[in-house]
Amino acid sequence: MTSPQIELPDHLKPQPLPQTPQISEAEMEAQLPKPVGYRLLVALPEIEDNYEGTTLIKTDSAKNKEFLLSIMGVVLDMGEGAYKDKDRFPEGAWCKPGDYVMFRMNTGTRFKVNGKEFRLMNDDSIEAVIADPRGITGV
């Protein structure tokens, strides 16, 4: 004897996850804002799906926490006034495009382009330049 098949209403059926449309690197670069004044454009690292060195998959809340606690990134661009104030920066710029930097977790204006997170932040928000960011995490 077989049990009858029950048809689920549409709103209870599993729905595919929405996909972020993929765009080329050139299109993504064109969408990035150009920092003005004393601001920096910083890209945040991609959050991994697994815990480092394991096959354990992170929960969505664990990945979200990592996003919220992001404390480092790579400088992509700088406004024309960044580090130009000789009174505040007598020794010159603290960082340059391509440097990995550390900052406070709530620093800057957060936004995403094609699913990747970026921040626009003030030049004096940088707290350290990092030679090798592997292994550094917020607590």
Side-chain angles (χ1 to χ4, degrees):
M1 182 154 109
T2 61
S3 28
Q5 285 292 82
I6 299 174
E7 183 67 29
L8 289 173
D10 286 341
H11 69 280
L12 292 178
K13 290 181 182 175
Q15 301 295 316
L17 294 174
Q19 297 294 317
T20 303
Q22 295 301 311
I23 60 174
S24 71
E25 286 290 322
E27 290 172 311
M28 188 161 124
E29 252 182 61
Q31 290 182 356
L32 289 176
K34 171 77 176 139
V36 296
Y38 51 85
R39 289 174 187 82
L40 310 176
L41 176 63
V42 177
L44 273 62
E46 298 280 333
I47 302 299
E48 300 293 325
D49 288 333
N50 295 35
Y51 289 99
E52 188 174 342
T54 72
T55 57
L56 292 174
I57 298 173
K58 294 177 186 173
T59 63
D60 287 340
S61 64
K63 289 191 281 188
N64 188 42
K65 181 179 178 186
E66 282 188 48
F67 262 130
L68 295 176
L69 297 178
S70 296
I71 59 165
M72 65 183 162
V74 63
V75 178
L76 298 181
D77 200 359
M78 299 168 70
E80 67 283 346
Y83 300 112
K84 298 290 191 239
D85 185 335
K86 298 299 178 198
D87 291 332
R88 292 174 62 213
F89 307 106
E91 296 176 13
W94 293 351
C95 62
K96 63 189 178 310
D99 283 349
Y100 286 96
V101 293
M102 186 176 286
F103 43 84
R104 293 181 185 263
M105 70 177 101
N106 294 321
T107 298
T109 303
R110 302 171 77 119
F111 63 96
K112 287 185 178 185
V113 174
N114 196 37
K116 180 153 179 55
E117 188 172 343
F118 298 88
R119 291 191 195 182
L120 278 170
M121 61 181 67
N122 297 342
D123 54 4
D124 62 355
S125 295
I126 301 303
E127 296 191 347
V129 175
I130 305 167
D132 183 1
R134 294 174 293 185
I136 296 176
T137 59
V139 290

